[in-house]
Amino acid sequence: MAMTDFWHPFADMAQVEERGALSLVRGEGAYVFDDAGRRYLDATASLWYCNVGWGRDEIAEAAARQMRELPAYSTFGDLTNPPAEALATRVAHMAPVAGSKVFLTSGGSDSIDTATKMARRYWQLRDEPQRAILIRREKAYHGMHTAGTSLAGIPANATGHGELIEDVTEVPWNDAEALRAAIERDDPERVAAFFCEPVIGAGGVFPPPPGYLQAAREVCREMDVLFIADEVITGFGRTGDWFASNRFGLDPDIITCAKGITSGYLPMGAVIASPAVAEPFFTPGAGLWRHGYTYSGHASVAAAALANLDIMEREDLGGRALKLESALFDALAPLADHEMVEEVRGGVGVLAAVNLRQDLVAEDASLPAKVGGACREAGMLIRPLVGGALAVSPPLVIDDEGIAEMAEAFRAGLDAVAAR
Ligand SMILES: Cc1ncc(COP(=O)(O)O)c(C=O)c1O
């Protein structure tokens, strides 16, 4: 048994100690290597984030250059630094709503906490303090801070810690009329915001039903409820544009993002507020908004983000993602014939899931982890999710060969477990 002082996130630590851990030491493009030199196809871009792929020296150099000058300094109050300014301007220009303002955070969960407080504070500044209800969707994942845990539509993630944030309502993930009914039931005058992942990620990779996002956006507009697009996964190229909101013609009041903004080379998140949402905060007399993080606008992280966005632009990784989305889905779709598979989902962005048969998962809840383990033995890292889904979201630099390799390793993993 290998004892460890490192308490892993989202882990059964007794099991980690019993079975040991996989130590990854190096990455190159769409591949990572363990401490024994074994190569793995990184079919998930780690946790959906390494959009530009591994081994990008220019990001490391940009961060190192900034660290030698001034690694970081507070941006509270009137303090600022050039990389944070440049990044905010750049991200504001990528956003679907012109004139947006960008609040920088340390990651996706920070962004969700910030958006929650921003939405409620917005209504207070607008003299409607009774608007406090937050609406989440079934299957939703919005990170694991207190707000995100309360907004979890994955029951296993939402329970076990008592009541966290009050005034949260859940709606079906795929029905805009049910959203309208829920707002009417709660009282439209009391609802602050609706949180929406354009493609549901950790809940199992569910692309939006055709027309759903636009219809939900319209319901929010009609009811004067803030529409918050959680683009932590879907932003920065993964769905073929800077944001899925651009692609689907949405004009969210608030966008939360993280991950692809730096491709994970350093941790960062952002909240993009439309001019209408930002306006009451920027109005003379609004006063100090008592919210922010030590590392909001961290100069070295912002420098890394800028270098990352340079790569995305230069290599048109958004355009590449659009081509990859059908290639990925076409390669994985035949796995639906496998005796252990119920369905294959994908087709919007470089995101897909192979869902195991529900009856098999009901019989053995560890089945997805077993298939994940067998795929690892076949040289590929994938991610088991709730409901028996096995998710893939490779770096956007993966090529046709890598995609074919992914489909083969998937089948090898499924076959190995089926044969046991
Ligand atoms: C849609 C969504 N929102 C928020 C988060 C939380 O981000 P982080 O883990 O960086 O805090 C995630 C993380 O996977 C996510 O997928």
Side-chain angles (χ1 to χ4, degrees), residues 67-89:
M67 282 185 194
R68 285 189 201 100
E69 290 285 324
L70 179 68
Y73 203 87
S74 164
T75 59
F76 280 22
D78 65 350
L79 298 169
T80 188
N81 64 70
E85 290 284 344
L87 181 63
T89 300

Side-chain angles (χ1 to χ4, degrees), residues 99-103 118 125 273-275 277-287:
S100 291
K101 303 288 188 188
V102 178
F103 191 102
M118 188 183 279
L125 292 170
S274 70
V277 168
E279 196 255 348
F281 293 82
F282 280 62
T283 298

Side-chain angles (χ1 to χ4, degrees), residues 239-381:
T239 45
D241 207 325
W242 288 118
F243 296 101
S245 295
N246 303 62
R247 172 168 175 177
F248 288 101
L250 309 175
D251 58 342
D253 296 298
I254 295 175
I255 294 176
T256 52
C257 55
K259 299 192 191 276
I261 191 169
T262 56
S263 289
Y265 277 69
L266 286 169
M268 176 175 265
V271 178
I272 307 169
S274 70
V277 168
E279 196 255 348
F281 293 82
F282 280 62
T283 298
L288 176 69
W289 185 31
R290 304 197 72 82
H291 179 77
Y293 303 109
T294 294
Y295 300 125
S296 287
H298 191 288
S300 303
V301 185
L306 289 164
N308 171 61
L309 298 177
D310 285 345
I311 293 171
M312 286 200 183
E313 248 168 38
R314 194 174 65 231
E315 299 182 8
D316 185 23
L317 292 184
R320 190 179 168 95
L322 272 186
K323 291 188 193 124
L324 282 171
E325 72 177 17
S326 43
L328 177 66
F329 187 62
D330 291 348
L332 296 181
L335 293 172
D337 296 340
H338 194 279
E339 59 180 300
M340 288 177 59
V341 172
E342 187 163 278
E343 67 170 349
V344 177
R345 292 185 293 272
V348 177
V350 188
L351 292 162
V354 174
N355 218 105
L356 301 179
R357 265 173 41 206
Q358 294 300 300
D359 57 325
L360 298 178
V361 178
E363 240 168 62
D364 176 7
S366 67
L367 198 65
K370 284 180 182 150
V371 176
C375 287
R376 192 186 282 187
E377 277 164 31
M380 171 174 76
L381 300 181

Side-chain angles (χ1 to χ4, degrees), residues 27 32 50 73 117 122 151 167 173 188 199 228 246 249 257 260-261 274 394:
V32 289
C50 192
Y73 203 87
K117 290 169 75 177
Y122 166 81
L151 292 168
D167 288 334
W173 71 277
V199 177
I228 301 181
N246 303 62
C257 55
I261 191 169
S274 70

Side-chain angles (χ1 to χ4, degrees), residues 55-136:
R56 298 286 197 164
D57 283 349
E58 69 184 271
I59 302 180
E61 273 153 23
R65 246 190 331 272
Q66 185 60 40
M67 282 185 194
R68 285 189 201 100
E69 290 285 324
L70 179 68
Y73 203 87
S74 164
T75 59
F76 280 22
D78 65 350
L79 298 169
T80 188
N81 64 70
E85 290 284 344
L87 181 63
T89 300
R90 193 149 170 188
V91 171
H93 282 107
M94 293 169 172
V97 184
S100 291
K101 303 288 188 188
V102 178
F103 191 102
L104 296 171
T105 73
S106 313
S109 299
D110 273 13
S111 296
I112 288 291
D113 253 39
T114 298
T116 302
K117 290 169 75 177
M118 188 183 279
R120 286 183 168 174
R121 179 80 182 138
Y122 166 81
W123 288 115
Q124 291 192 357
L125 292 170
R126 289 268 313 263
D127 289 330
E128 295 192 55
Q130 79 290 352
R131 281 191 185 262
I133 295 173
L134 309 171
I135 301 186
R136 70 177 188 220

Side-chain angles (χ1 to χ4, degrees), residues 48 107-110 112 141-144 197 202 230 232-233 258-259:
W48 331 80
S109 299
D110 273 13
I112 288 291
Y141 185 84
H142 297 294
M144 286 285 103
E197 291 164 90
D230 183 355
V232 167
I233 289 176
K259 299 192 191 276

